[in-house]
């Protein structure tokens, strides 16, 4: 499969492997910590990915072998006043929400440390795979701050309030196996196979109807913010809209004709 480098970023590497975009946070000197510029670049890359009809899935990872993302850049945090702190929190939240709402699957390939903003970046992805040496945590309280890029909201939604509060209040770091047991990551894989497994999963999703995949993402994401009855209405609405698509008829017909479906995104 051909790999193409795309637009140049200062703190990111962006590659396209067929219909999969690889977003690599690339600040090895600080174990890929997220400064403001990097957040802005992630926002731009996520928009570019979302708008590109040729691209169906995004894999987010960190440069090097040791770290996914070590957190927000503590050098920048150290000089924030209250207004600046609220503003950077809003920026981080907006950038991560942009990934979450890309309308296409976003996978985190957690290849090492995922602390603070790094853990929050992974939490904003739809699916998380972790290498067996990965360690995750929200250690902000040990720095006298709180998670500010969505961690206090997404972690309890993912693993439940009790487990989330224990992690956030203690700042305890969790190894990959435990993260898998508690539902914080979907799977742990040997580190040498992390990217291959992430691409395999992305490819499996890409074989499915793209309109249906987008509808699932919307139903689950928006539904999580709704009372159950409203979420069920959202689901029925999307189910109905899909029945107007050629893809739905193609998918069902292909099954009956015992052949792979040829989805057209319409
Ligand atoms: N922000 C800025 N710089 C960071 C950073 C961060 N979040 N995490 C690591 N770095 C820097 C270190 O200061 C160090 O810089 P130096 O070489 O100039 O001294 C470099 O990255 C390597 O880190 P180091 O601590 O030497 O590596 P390690 O393998 O011993 O430890 C960590 C790795 C991730 C356990 C440790 O760096 C750490 O605890 N980082 C902070 C994690 C954190 O609290 N994140 C949440 C922030 S809100």
């Amino acid at each position: 499969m051909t790999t193409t480098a795309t637009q140049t970023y200062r703190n990111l590497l962006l590659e396209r492997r067929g219909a999969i975009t690889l977003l690599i946070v690339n600040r090895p000197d600080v174990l890929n910590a997220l400064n403001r510029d990097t957040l802005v670049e992630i926002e731009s890359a996520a928009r570019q990915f979302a708008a590109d009809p040729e691209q169906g899935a995004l894999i987010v990872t960190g440069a090097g072998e040791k770290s996914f993302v070590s957190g927000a850049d503590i050098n920048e945090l150290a000089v924030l006043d209250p207004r600046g702190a609220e503003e950077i929190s809003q920026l981080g939240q907006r950038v991560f929400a942009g990934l979450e709402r890309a309308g296409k699957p976003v996978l985190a390939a957690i290849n090492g440390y995922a602390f603070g903003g790094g853990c929050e970046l992974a939490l904003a992805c739809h699916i998380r795979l972790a290498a067996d040496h990965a360690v995750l945590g929200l250690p902000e309280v040990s720095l006298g701050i709180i998670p500010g890029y969505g961690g206090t909201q997404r972690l309890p939604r993912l693993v439940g309030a009790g487990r989330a509060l224990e992690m956030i209040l203690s700042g305890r770091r969790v190894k990959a196996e435990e993260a898998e047991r508690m539902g914080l990551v979907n799977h742990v894989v040997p580190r040498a196979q992390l990217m291959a497994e992430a691409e395999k999963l992305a490819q499996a999703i890409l074989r499915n109807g793209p309109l249906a995949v987008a509808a699932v993402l919307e139903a689950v994401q928006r539904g999580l913010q709704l009372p159950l009855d409203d979420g069920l209405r959202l689901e029925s609405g999307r189910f109905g809209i899909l029945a107007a698509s050629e893809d739905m008829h193609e998918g069902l017909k292909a099954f009956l004709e015992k052949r792979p479906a040829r989805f057209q995104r319409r």
Side-chain angles (χ1 to χ4, degrees), residues 27-34 66-67 69-77 113 115-118 120 137-140 142-143 145-146 173:
R27 299 187 74 217
D29 292 351
V30 286
L31 301 177
N32 307 324
L34 299 174
K66 193 171 169 182
S67 184
V69 166
S70 62
D73 191 317
I74 296 174
N75 299 297
E76 283 190 354
L77 295 184
Y113 300 130
F115 297 134
E120 292 171 298
L138 291 171
E140 282 88 345
S142 71
L143 302 166
I145 55 175
I146 67 168
R173 296 170 182 203

Side-chain angles (χ1 to χ4, degrees), residues 30-265:
V30 286
L31 301 177
N32 307 324
L34 299 174
N35 61 0
R36 178 185 298 269
D37 288 350
T38 309
L39 287 173
V40 170
E41 288 189 352
I42 293 173
E43 182 166 50
S44 161
R47 280 198 186 135
Q48 192 186 343
F49 161 72
D52 187 340
E54 303 293 317
Q55 294 300 294
L58 181 74
I59 299 175
V60 180
T61 194
E65 303 261 299
K66 193 171 169 182
S67 184
F68 174 70
V69 166
S70 62
D73 191 317
I74 296 174
N75 299 297
E76 283 190 354
L77 295 184
V79 295
L80 288 176
D81 60 14
R83 192 180 166 145
E86 187 172 351
E87 191 270 332
I88 194 81
S89 164
Q90 289 167 346
L91 173 67
Q93 288 179 359
R94 191 182 78 214
V95 172
F96 290 179
L99 284 171
E100 193 171 49
R101 294 173 198 158
K104 306 172 194 177
V106 179
L107 285 69
I110 306 170
N111 58 323
Y113 300 130
F115 297 134
C119 186
E120 292 171 298
L121 172 59
L123 285 168
C125 297
H126 302 125
I127 299 172
R128 284 154 291 282
L129 300 188
D132 48 15
H133 70 298
V135 189
L136 297 90
L138 291 171
E140 282 88 345
V141 288
S142 71
L143 302 166
I145 55 175
I146 67 168
Y149 300 168
T152 65
Q153 302 306 304
R154 289 196 180 92
L155 186 62
R157 282 169 168 79
L158 188 64
V159 302
R163 289 194 189 92
L165 280 168
E166 182 189 335
M167 253 185 92
I168 299 173
L169 292 175
S170 68
R172 190 166 72 83
R173 296 170 182 203
V174 170
K175 291 185 181 159
E177 292 292 343
E178 184 181 353
E180 183 185 49
R181 277 200 302 278
M182 68 194 276
L184 173 51
V185 302
N186 296 61
H187 303 289
V188 179
V189 298
R191 80 162 81 178
Q193 286 160 32
L194 178 66
M195 288 315 297
E197 289 295 329
E199 284 185 46
K200 200 162 100 185
L201 181 52
Q203 292 291 2
I205 297 170
L206 287 169
R207 282 194 286 279
N208 298 321
L211 299 177
V213 166
V216 167
L217 288 170
E218 193 198 357
V220 171
Q221 235 110 49
R222 277 189 47 209
L224 273 172
Q225 300 182 37
L226 297 172
L228 180 61
D229 285 348
D230 294 349
L232 291 171
R233 259 190 297 280
L234 172 66
E235 182 183 84
S236 299
R238 290 297 166 275
F239 199 87
I241 287 170
L242 281 175
S245 71
E246 288 178 26
D247 278 359
M248 185 191 100
H249 297 289
E250 163 63 11
L252 299 177
K253 197 159 162 259
F255 176 83
L256 296 173
E257 293 173 0
K258 302 188 189 308
R259 60 168 175 83
R262 288 182 294 270
F263 294 115
Q264 306 289 333
R265 192 183 279 277

